[in-house]
């Protein structure tokens, strides 16, 4: 049975508004998250991803409210990430209406968080978000890719491919692979990095960072992505989810 490649709009939410920048800088307002979610649902989005980019944990209640309002009105699966540090954080987001929860920085600091969440809620709930970039300068990793934190501004020295494989072993149900080099540039996904991670993990792999044309989504699927995720090209009207799916279909890629 052929599994359809999912198309997922990503909404970076800051204090209750959707924002978008280039390489996580120079953020500009992209609208109301519930309104945008309605639009993407109507266009045929398979899922939605919310990333809480608020710097302070003081905005968490705003995030829960956005998740609640979206889940009440939009009926596609919803993944929520950003600032998730404990299984209790996952519990609160699931209760607010999330279907899946993304973890990132806290799992780097404490990898057993992945196992804790998977044991309590099931692997299908857990998406490991990996913000990766090509190594530069004196940094060396076996794959040539490094895990970063703080919106790509801080390197960890951790091999991104090895980290994705370790997370799968610990219980991550999906890997969201975000190219920090390509993020917001519209220059295309990092296909080499996608292929490198695909060769080491069996769980679903979501490509993120760099989409600029519908053909970029086709290339990501051919490189091994089970889902393709984008933000600014959808938010600012460069293309619709339906247009992307049409181009993917024409290229022979199974979509819903």
């Amino acid at each position: 049975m052929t599994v359809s490649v999912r198309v997922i709009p990503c909404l970076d939410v800051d204090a209750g508004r959707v924002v978008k920048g280039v390489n996580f800088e120079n953020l500009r307002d992209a609208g109301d998250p519930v309104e945008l979610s309605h639009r993407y649902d109507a266009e045929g989005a398979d899922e939605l991803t919310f990333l809480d980019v608020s710097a302070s944990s003081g905005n968490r209640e705003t995030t829960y409210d956005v998740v609640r309002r979206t889940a009440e009105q939009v009926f596609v699966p919803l993944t929520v990430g950003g600032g998730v540090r404990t299984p209790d954080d996952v519990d609160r987001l699931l209760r607010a209406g999330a279907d899946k929860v993304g973890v990132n920085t806290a799992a780097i600091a404490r990898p057993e968080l992945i196992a804790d969440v998977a044991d309590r809620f099931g692997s299908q709930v857990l998406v490991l978000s990996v913000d990766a970039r090509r190594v530069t300068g004196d940094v060396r990793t076996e794959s040539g890719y490094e895990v970063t934190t703080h919106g790509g501004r801080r390197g960890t020295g951790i091999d991104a491919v090895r980290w994705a494989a370790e997370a799968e072993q610990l219980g991550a149900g999906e890997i969201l692979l975000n190219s920090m080099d390509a993020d917001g540039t519209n220059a295309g996904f990092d296909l080499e990095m996608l292929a490198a991670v695909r060769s080491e993990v069996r769980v679903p792999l979501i490509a993120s960072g760099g989409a600029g044309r519908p053909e970029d989504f086709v290339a990501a699927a051919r490189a091994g992505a089970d889902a393709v995720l984008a933000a600014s090209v959808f938010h600012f009207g460069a293309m619709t989810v339906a247009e992307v799916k049409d181009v993917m279909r024409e290229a022979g890629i199974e979509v819903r």
Side-chain angles (χ1 to χ4, degrees):
M1 188 180 97
T2 306
V3 178
S4 299
V5 176
R6 291 165 286 147
V7 179
I8 307 174
C10 180
L11 294 80
D12 296 329
V13 180
D14 185 5
R17 297 289 293 178
V18 177
V19 296
K20 191 58 195 167
V22 177
N23 303 126
F24 286 77
E25 295 180 352
N26 303 316
L27 300 180
R28 58 178 172 145
D29 189 278
D32 176 74
V34 181
E35 286 177 17
L36 279 173
S37 297
H38 268 294
R39 189 174 100 199
Y40 296 140
D41 187 16
E43 287 177 9
D46 297 301
E47 296 181 15
L48 296 169
T49 293
F50 280 9
L51 294 180
D52 180 1
V53 299
S54 306
S56 80
S57 57
N59 284 318
R60 293 303 283 176
E61 202 44 58
T62 304
T63 301
Y64 295 133
D65 180 58
V66 167
V67 172
R68 277 187 212 103
R69 287 190 293 123
T70 304
E72 283 168 4
Q73 299 178 47
V74 179
F75 301 104
V76 294
L78 182 59
T79 299
V80 184
V84 175
R85 297 180 179 87
T86 67
D88 286 343
D89 290 337
V90 175
D91 185 56
R92 279 190 284 273
L93 285 167
L94 294 174
R95 289 176 188 279
D99 297 280
K100 295 185 271 192
V101 176
V103 298
N104 186 341
T105 307
I108 296 167
R110 199 173 73 83
E112 57 268 29
L113 173 65
I114 297 170
D116 291 348
V117 172
D119 289 346
R120 183 166 164 187
F121 304 103
S123 290
Q124 78 284 348
V125 158
L126 182 62
V127 180
L128 179 78
S129 184
V130 181
D131 292 341
R133 69 181 176 201
R134 291 167 186 263
V135 294
T136 55
D138 297 330
V139 179
R140 293 284 181 271
T141 65
E142 188 178 338
S143 70
Y145 299 99
E146 174 191 23
V147 176
T148 70
T149 61
H150 298 79
R153 292 186 295 278
R154 193 172 296 179
T156 64
I158 297 168
D159 187 303
V161 176
R162 187 172 293 172
W163 173 229
E166 181 186 345
E168 178 183 35
Q169 294 299 316
L170 288 167
E174 291 187 75
I175 307 291
L176 169 54
L177 183 64
N178 188 31
S179 168
M180 303 313 294
D181 299 316
D183 179 76
T185 64
N186 303 135
F189 295 99
D190 188 328
L191 303 179
E192 289 179 11
M193 185 167 72
L194 267 175
V197 174
R198 173 78 289 160
S199 69
E200 296 296 326
V201 303
R202 295 178 303 281
V203 294
L205 178 61
I206 306 165
S208 170
R213 306 172 305 140
E215 292 77 13
D216 293 333
F217 296 88
V218 172
R222 287 180 174 156
D226 301 278
V228 284
L229 178 147
S232 53
V233 291
F234 293 142
H235 300 338
F236 300 119
M239 64 189 81
T240 67
V241 173
E243 286 167 353
V244 167
K245 286 191 169 187
D246 285 344
V247 170
M248 292 175 77
R249 262 189 219 99
E250 287 165 13
I253 291 164
E254 186 85 22
V255 291
R256 293 175 190 168

